Amino acid sequence: MPELSRADHTTSPPAIHIPDDYNAAFDLIDRNLRAGRADRTAFIDDAGQHTYGALADRVQRAAGAMSGLGLRMEDRVLVCLLDGIDFPTVFLGCVHAGIVPIVTNTLLTTADYEYMLRDSRARALVVSAALLPQFAPLLGSLPFLEHVIVAGDAPAGTRALGTLLAAATPYGAPAPTRADDICFWGYSSGSTGAPKGTLHVHSSLIQTAELYARPILGIREDDVVFSAAKLFFAYGFGNGMVFPLAVGATAVLMAERPTPAAVFQRLRDHQPTIFYGVPTLFAAMLASPDLPRRDEVRLRVATSAGEALPEELGRRFGEQYGIDVLDGIGSTEMLHIFLSNRPGDVRYGTTGRPVPGYEVRLVDDTGKEVPDGEQGELQVRGPTTAQGYWNKRAKTRATFLGEWMRSGDKYRRDPDGRYVYGGRSDDMLKVSGIYVSPVEVEAALVTHPAVLEAAVIGRADSDALVKPKAFVVLKSGHAPSEGLAAELKQHVKDRLAPYKYPRWIDFVAELPKTATGKIQRFRLRALDDAS
């Protein structure tokens, strides 16, 4: 058996020992069994409660089932599962067997999934039954995909996950993986909208827990945690799975969309002590007439990430429950939060200070560090940096600069060392915590027969949260109208993930362009600011 990781929290940053022979899934499960937590609840999902002992058995069976299908170390499995016990079961089962799971956004389109399956050459797909229709047109046409495993009702030509687990022989000792072996992938959107397979190693999972979750968040064994951000997000992945497993806490998982009503139900029914949200959700919760009273919940801290938390939102939510809301920033490339506010030391409107174990710097266009008060591109280095992007050498070299990773975010540092968000370095937008490419939305708009050209920028709504706004040039014979604007919004929704549609549409006679024909989005942003 590989030695488990261990951490010395008397040092700053914590001294974390991870042996060369190391399997992340074995560590996260076995540490709880050795601590006597087999009967303690690990997860609460829509189907009920699941103990650490039951989870260990499911993980062993998942590893055995994948191996029984002929999958071997370093083979890849695309995982597109709604939040529930099947997600940690399949993810950790793959990792235990040395197989590489690819964590996938459940909100994407058939075209997105086809790209990922072809790009990754995944030999197996594990998908929730509710999401199978998005994959159905692809089945039988992908050269590398051999097995389709369905969590729930499995139609002909697929395998039922439940049946496979019940019949599987437990795997036994973990696969002989190394700390620097690839553990899993997460796809991250690029400036052109083409996803990038981001490669993370075994040692990174526990590092996020020991560097952020324990010392910054203060997570404990007696915590019940609930992440509205889903497990397929790097943010939600740590919140709802890695962090609670690292300390023996209990995590609440929810399959449905995180509407205020759904979130309120979990806050009331399961009484979580830690809540992980995103600014868009905090705004919707505060606007709801059914917002729980302070005495109806048991929260002791909340976190926000995915997009910058407006100062007023953070303050209002914190005052509602008498807690700190810890705004932070992380990324798929860094796996979780590396810059954060701290309990008892929150300044709303800032992203706080670097998490111990990580270093950040702000640089200008020449790579020179900028002084306090001046805006620069945020770069970060730390032990959880991804190995790179799959089959995207040029993008890897442009993003990972030796030990440093370019975040693509603009920040300034205050004299007291706190960092203040200033926007994106490129034209990418963060909508509800998910990157949206303007180019992708523009491409969808111009497929409408009335649209000649389109350009998309980000615009802050009444809660200071960024949403897409489109400027549209119509073809001759078509006139602007509210009806056409609504039709264009639905047109985008029908072709892309729904959160990508433009919330506002302005019809214009022409788009500002450079001499070489490139759209000048900065001029559109200035026009929007002036309106």
Side-chain angles (χ1 to χ4, degrees), residues 84-245:
I85 191 60
D86 288 334
F87 190 111
T89 296
V90 172
F91 180 91
L92 296 170
C94 286
V95 174
H96 188 89
I99 297 164
V100 179
I102 301 169
V103 178
T104 313
N105 188 331
T106 60
L107 305 174
L108 300 181
T109 65
T110 299
D112 294 321
Y113 295 132
E114 180 176 16
Y115 175 86
M116 292 176 183
L117 284 164
R118 290 185 182 276
D119 180 61
S120 66
R121 303 172 195 147
R123 290 185 60 198
L125 163 69
V126 185
V127 58
S128 293
L131 304 174
L132 186 60
Q134 296 293 82
F135 292 86
L138 309 176
L139 304 185
S141 65
L142 298 165
F144 301 103
L145 186 62
E146 300 171 13
H147 308 286
V148 178
I149 303 164
V150 179
D153 294 333
T158 67
R159 300 172 183 270
L161 177 62
T163 301
L164 283 176
L165 294 179
T169 300
Y171 191 87
T177 53
R178 306 291 296 273
D180 286 342
D181 276 340
I182 298 300
C183 178
F184 79 103
W185 298 15
Y187 269 96
S188 174
S189 294
S191 59
T192 63
K196 306 183 295 293
T198 309
L199 314 180
H200 282 289
V201 300
H202 277 257
S203 61
S204 290
L205 280 70
I206 198 64
Q207 294 268 16
T208 62
E210 301 295 353
L211 292 174
Y212 169 79
R214 284 187 194 263
I216 303 296
L217 185 59
I219 191 170
R220 307 184 301 254
E221 179 181 355
D222 61 353
D223 275 315
V224 176
V225 307
F226 173 45
S227 178
K230 298 299 186 179
L231 291 173
F232 66 74
F233 286 112
Y235 177 46
F237 175 82
N239 299 342
M241 187 174 71
V242 176
F243 297 169
L245 291 180

Side-chain angles (χ1 to χ4, degrees), residues 2 255 332 409 440 456 503:
T332 301
D409 294 294
E440 186 181 23
V456 172
R503 305 319 195 259

Side-chain angles (χ1 to χ4, degrees), residues 1-2 23 25-26 29 55-75 89-100 164-177 181 202:
M1 297 287 184
N23 182 283
F26 176 74
I29 295 294
L55 175 65
D57 179 68
R58 287 177 63 93
V59 169
Q60 281 281 343
R61 289 181 178 276
M66 295 299 171
S67 178
L69 293 175
L71 299 176
R72 297 292 180 260
M73 283 185 65
E74 301 184 11
D75 283 340
T89 296
V90 172
F91 180 91
L92 296 170
C94 286
V95 174
H96 188 89
I99 297 164
V100 179
L164 283 176
L165 294 179
T169 300
Y171 191 87
T177 53
D181 276 340
H202 277 257

Side-chain angles (χ1 to χ4, degrees), residues 310-435:
E311 180 177 353
E312 182 64 16
L313 273 184
R315 181 175 291 107
R316 286 175 58 204
F317 195 88
E319 290 175 351
Q320 172 71 20
Y321 296 111
I323 61 174
D324 287 327
V325 182
L326 310 182
D327 189 24
I329 183 175
S331 69
T332 301
E333 289 79 5
M334 296 303 296
L335 191 52
H336 210 272
I337 289 172
F338 54 82
L339 188 65
S340 179
N341 281 275
R342 289 148 170 75
D345 186 27
V346 172
R347 181 178 297 172
Y348 294 115
T350 80
T351 318
R353 298 186 175 95
V355 171
Y358 295 88
E359 294 178 65
V360 300
R361 66 185 182 187
L362 302 179
V363 301
D364 61 20
D365 292 341
T366 68
K368 181 181 177 181
E369 292 196 45
V370 300
D372 286 354
E374 187 174 320
Q375 189 164 270
E377 182 190 58
L378 180 71
Q379 298 184 355
V380 56
R381 66 179 175 187
T384 62
T385 309
Q387 190 180 81
Y389 301 125
W390 170 256
N391 273 354
K392 286 186 167 47
R393 184 167 178 259
K395 187 63 178 174
T396 295
R397 295 178 68 183
T399 302
F400 300 95
L401 310 177
E403 293 183 321
W404 293 93
M405 193 279 296
R406 298 179 61 188
S407 72
D409 294 294
K410 292 287 191 180
Y411 267 85
R412 61 177 171 81
R413 186 176 61 197
D414 284 347
D416 65 356
R418 300 176 196 268
Y419 288 76
V420 180
Y421 181 68
R424 289 287 297 170
S425 300
D426 54 25
D427 287 315
M428 291 291 285
L429 312 178
K430 269 282 189 78
V431 179
S432 298
I434 309 174
Y435 282 124

